[in-house]
C-alpha cells in the first residue's frame, strides 16, 4: 500500500485526533482554572446559546439535536451556574436562555486557552507550518468553518 493510499483513511482520523487533543487539553486547563464541571458538549451548547441568548428550540436546531435534548443540556448548564432561563422581553411566549456571568467567563477563558494551545503548536511545529495548515483547512472546509451540530452529527439516527 502506498503512502497516499494510507493517507486516504488516515487523514480524517488525524484531523479528528488533532481536534480531540485540543479539546481534551482545553478541558484539562478549564478544570485547573475552576471549571472542572464543564464537558465538551456544554461548550457547544454555550456557543449555540451565544451572547444574545436562544430558546431551547434554537439551541437544538444549532446543535442538530432535539428540543428535548437541548432542554436537558440547558437544565444542566443552569444547575452548574453557566446559563439561566427567563422570559423574552420582546415575546412573552418565548423562554430565552442566556449565559450567566460564569458562562461568559468560561467562554472567554476558553478563547484564551485556545490561543495558548495554538501558540504551543506554533512553537512546536513552527509558525509557518501552523499558518499553512490553517490556510489549507480554510480552503478545503466548505462554507462555514465552525458548525455547532457536531454533537447531533455524531449521534445515532
Amino acid at each position: 500500500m502506498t503512502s497516499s493510499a494510507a493517507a486516504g483513511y488516515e487523514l480524517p482520523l488525524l484531523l479528528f485526533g488533532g481536534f480531540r487533543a485540543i479539546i481534551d487539553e482545553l478541558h484539562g486547563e478549564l478544570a485547573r482554572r475552576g471549571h472542572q464541571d464543564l464537558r465538551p458538549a456544554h461548550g457547544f451548547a454555550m456557543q449555540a446559546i451565544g451572547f444574545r441568548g436562544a430558546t431551547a428550540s434554537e439551541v437544538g436546531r444549532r446543535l442538530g439535536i432535539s428540543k428535548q435534548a437541548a432542554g436537558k443540556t440547558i437544565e444542566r448548564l443552569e444547575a452548574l451556574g453557566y446559563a439561566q432561563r427567563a422570559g423574552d422581553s420582546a415575546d412573552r411566549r418565548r423562554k430565552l436562555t442566556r449565559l450567566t456571568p460564569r458562562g461568559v467567563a468560561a467562554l472567554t477563558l476558553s478563547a484564551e486557552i485556545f490561543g495558548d494551545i495554538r501558540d504551543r503548536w506554533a512553537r512546536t511545529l513552527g509558525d509557518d507550518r501552523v499558518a499553512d495548515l490553517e490556510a489549507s483547512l480554510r480552503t478545503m472546509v466548505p462554507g462555514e468553518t465552525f458548525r455547532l451540530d457536531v454533537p447531533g452529527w455524531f449521534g445515532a439516527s
Side-chain angles (χ1 to χ4, degrees), residues 22-33:
I22 289 170
I23 297 300
D24 287 349
E25 185 174 342
L26 167 75
H27 281 273
E29 189 59 28
L30 283 170
R32 281 187 286 284
R33 296 195 197 184

Side-chain angles (χ1 to χ4, degrees), residues 68-143:
Q68 292 76 15
K72 285 183 181 183
T73 301
I74 289 168
E75 285 174 12
R76 184 69 183 139
L77 288 173
E78 282 182 301
L80 296 171
Y82 292 100
Q84 63 186 23
R85 283 188 266 200
D88 183 352
S89 60
D91 182 349
R92 301 239 183 244
R93 295 170 295 173
R94 289 173 25 121
K95 197 89 161 167
L96 203 58
T97 301
R98 293 192 193 285
L99 297 176
T100 63
R102 180 170 167 78
V104 171
L107 283 183
T108 302
L109 180 58
S110 293
E112 178 188 314
I113 295 167
F114 278 133
D116 293 345
I117 293 169
R118 189 209 180 275
D119 289 346
R120 187 177 51 74
W121 278 45
R123 284 191 309 275
T124 302
L125 300 174
D127 226 5
D128 290 345
R129 287 179 70 192
V130 172
D132 285 346
L133 174 62
E134 290 168 335
S136 296
L137 288 170
R138 280 187 202 99
T139 299
M140 297 308 297
V141 174

Side-chain angles (χ1 to χ4, degrees), residues 57-78:
S57 293
E58 290 166 337
V59 171
R61 209 171 21 262
R62 291 172 187 165
L63 294 177
I65 60 177
S66 70
K67 177 183 175 182
Q68 292 76 15
K72 285 183 181 183
T73 301
I74 289 168
E75 285 174 12
R76 184 69 183 139
L77 288 173
E78 282 182 301

Side-chain angles (χ1 to χ4, degrees), residues 134-156:
E134 290 168 335
S136 296
L137 288 170
R138 280 187 202 99
T139 299
M140 297 308 297
V141 174
E144 299 175 40
T145 57
F146 181 69
R147 294 190 48 195
L148 295 173
D149 66 350
V150 171
W153 184 72
F154 274 120

